[in-house]
Amino acid sequence: MTTASANLNIMIKAARLAARGLMRDFGEVENLQVTSKSAGDFVSRADIKAEQIIRDTLTEARPTYGWLGEESEEVKGEDPTRRWIVDPLDGTTNFLHGMPHWAISIALEHKKQIVAAVIFDPVKDEMFTSEKGAGAWMNDRRLRVTNRRDMIEMVFATGIPFAGSPALPAHLKQTARVAPQCAGIRRWGAAALDLAYVAAGRYDGYWEMGLNPWDIAAGILLVKEAGGMVEPIAEGSDLMGRNGCIAANADAFAKFASTVRG
Ligand code: IPD
Ligand code: CA
């Protein structure tokens, strides 16, 4: 990849440090013969530990930046224009069930725009990185979204709302519109990787309702820097405001987005 900025190098370092502990814990989870409650507690401790490692690494290097992480209170920085947006373990349910599809997601926001992104899948040793204006990368390979235009040839990812979410009926209507028009829909369970895979040209597009900023912040930059588009499902709303998101290659975006939106 092109030369990484100091900030991106710090983000990569934080992701690698957290990944060491998570990989150890993932090995444990795979072997755990315990009740679902204690496995759940074990994973939530792993998640919190990973966030602490990332936070210590980032704040030691950049003490004035703000912080928004899944597992802790938001902290306003002395520098109000910059903040880290971090999901220490995206794909928690996969992790808990011993499924090797989860990632660490770290984004840097400057003046409300994401300017640097890291999504690290340590099981597959895939490090997705991006900086505004410098493209999107996976390890040393430059990423491009797909160039398919016909929905019937396209494979999409989505997230299905689970227990406690009132969004299921709306999601099922979206799926009922998309499914008959495409080559397949996947639900792999890690939003950050869903977006990284759109950037990598593995999926042609992705949509999901009600996501948090830490699920999508890094992935948004990856998709855009790989030549794709990302918008909130509710047109004109705030992409980072739990309004869900639609991502796809730029040629197919309009058709895909109008199918999802209905
Ligand atoms: C979840 C995953 C999942 C998505 C959920 C997210 P978590 O994040 O990204 O794919 O469907 O909406 O909350 O809880 O594993 O960090
Ligand atoms: Ca997440």
Side-chain angles (χ1 to χ4, degrees), residues 16-148:
R16 287 202 187 281
L17 283 173
R20 269 194 233 155
L22 285 172
M23 284 295 278
R24 266 196 308 273
D25 290 336
F26 186 58
E28 286 287 308
V29 164
E30 283 184 307
N31 298 324
L32 273 182
Q33 296 296 321
V34 287
T35 63
S36 63
K37 170 94 171 67
S38 56
D41 291 346
F42 176 82
V43 171
S44 94
R45 280 197 301 276
D47 204 350
I48 291 165
K49 265 190 298 176
E51 178 153 327
Q52 195 58 52
I53 291 167
I54 296 168
R55 191 169 172 161
D56 289 350
T57 309
L58 297 177
T59 50
E60 189 188 303
R62 298 287 183 262
T64 60
Y65 293 10
W67 172 268
L68 178 66
E70 177 163 21
E71 303 299 330
S72 55
E73 286 287 300
E74 179 168 6
V75 177
K76 299 260 179 262
E78 225 174 87
D79 174 352
T81 68
R82 291 182 173 82
R83 66 172 175 169
W84 304 112
I85 304 178
V86 174
D87 190 344
L89 175 55
D90 183 53
T92 319
T93 305
N94 286 344
F95 191 99
L96 176 63
H97 288 254
M99 294 193 272
H101 192 75
W102 46 270
I104 294 154
S105 176
I106 304 177
L108 175 60
E109 186 188 62
H110 181 217
K111 297 186 177 164
K112 305 271 173 224
Q113 297 221 15
I114 308 299
V115 294
V118 166
I119 295 174
F120 184 37
D121 172 346
V123 175
K124 305 178 197 75
D125 195 22
E126 291 188 333
M127 175 71 77
F128 298 89
T129 58
S130 183
E131 292 195 81
K132 201 165 165 23
W137 301 78
M138 195 266 285
N139 299 339
D140 290 329
R141 182 158 69 80
R142 180 130 195 201
L143 303 180
R144 283 297 301 170
V145 293
T146 60
N147 57 12
R148 290 189 191 91

Side-chain angles (χ1 to χ4, degrees), residues 40 121 175 199 211 224:
D121 172 346
T175 299
L211 294 155
K224 288 185 177 167

Side-chain angles (χ1 to χ4, degrees), residues 180-254:
Q181 299 197 51
C182 72
I185 299 178
R186 304 287 182 269
R187 201 290 188 244
W188 280 16
L193 288 175
D194 290 334
L195 285 163
Y197 281 23
V198 173
R202 292 173 177 170
Y203 294 135
D204 296 287
Y206 160 68
W207 90 96
E208 182 163 352
M209 301 175 72
L211 294 155
N212 288 299
W214 47 81
D215 298 316
I216 55 173
I220 290 170
L221 183 65
L222 277 156
V223 172
K224 288 185 177 167
E225 287 293 324
M229 289 174 63
V230 190
E231 286 185 4
I233 296 179
E235 267 175 294
S237 64
D238 176 11
L239 188 50
M240 303 287 264
R242 305 206 85 253
N243 295 302
C245 82
I246 308 179
N249 83 49
D251 293 329
F253 188 87

